[in-house]
Amino acid sequence: MVTTSIGQMNNETAKGIYRAATRHVDLMVNAGKIAPANAENAWAQLVVKEMMKRGLSVPKDIAARAGVDAAAGAPAAALSAPAVATNTAKVAATATARDSARSVLRAGAPVALALFLLEGAHTGYRLFKGDIDLAEAGRRTAESAGSNAGGLGGAMLGAAAGTAILPFLGAAAGGLLLGAAGSVAGRKLVRIFTR
């Protein structure tokens, strides 16, 4: 059986609060909800709020950074600054959706390029063989570029939207559906403009 003192438990709880507050404030700064110059103050206010909520004593230096008298025992509700009170889940979902779109771009761009090159090689082969003329080869190459670009853009948008709605499964479904729709739309747009 592991035994720990109350002091050790409080110390670990405080460390967890510090880490969570740091992640929260970093997300808020990245989302533009907190100015970088105010990050330290927002962090201190959040730490004070969470420590008081749990009945822990607040270190004087952190209370001073937050602009609160730790000995006065101000209620936690009085410490909620508008910047700190912003919905963390919304900011985290936005960051996750943006990360999903970046992941699709990183993984999908080489695949889209490879498909474009393969389609271009096949078109070049058919042109060289005499099955199609130069105008048809140009049209096919443009359609291939439009289809691949539209598919990649649609997959990025679908992954971002899907992640915001339902993480992981939503990203996969949204990426596939909007990727396919983007591919078809890209090819049709090229056809409209090349005729």
Side-chain angles (χ1 to χ4, degrees):
M1 182 167 126
V2 177
T3 59
T4 60
S5 69
I6 296 294
Q8 288 173 324
M9 288 186 349
N10 287 346
N11 188 25
E12 290 303 314
T13 301
K15 285 180 187 177
I17 290 171
Y18 297 161
R19 285 190 295 269
T22 300
R23 283 191 304 270
H24 175 80
V25 170
D26 286 346
L27 277 173
M28 299 301 278
V29 167
N30 289 339
K33 303 290 184 182
I34 297 176
N38 296 336
E40 187 176 329
N41 186 352
W43 177 86
Q45 288 179 349
L46 188 58
V47 167
V48 169
K49 177 181 173 184
E50 292 301 316
M51 290 184 84
M52 292 178 99
K53 214 190 284 185
R54 289 171 176 77
L56 300 173
S57 61
V58 179
K60 289 181 183 177
D61 62 325
I62 294 176
R65 277 191 260 169
V68 174
D69 182 13
L79 301 174
S80 60
V84 176
T86 306
N87 186 350
T88 307
K90 182 178 176 184
V91 173
T94 302
T96 304
R98 188 174 39 244
D99 290 343
S100 288
R102 284 184 187 146
S103 294
V104 168
L105 179 61
R106 269 190 238 114
V111 172
L113 179 62
L115 286 173
F116 173 72
L117 292 174
L118 284 173
E119 289 172 348
H122 183 258
T123 300
Y125 170 75
R126 292 198 57 203
L127 176 66
F128 181 73
K129 196 173 162 188
D131 291 346
I132 59 174
D133 62 357
L134 188 59
E136 177 68 14
R139 187 186 64 73
R140 286 177 181 229
T141 302
E143 281 184 13
S144 174
S147 174
N148 286 305
L152 183 59
M156 286 176 54
L157 181 63
T163 298
I165 296 168
L166 180 66
F168 186 70
L169 291 177
L176 288 173
L177 291 175
L178 286 181
S183 178
V184 170
R187 188 174 296 272
K188 285 191 182 213
L189 278 174
V190 169
R191 285 182 183 165
I192 289 171
F193 289 113
T194 57
R195 294 203 187 242

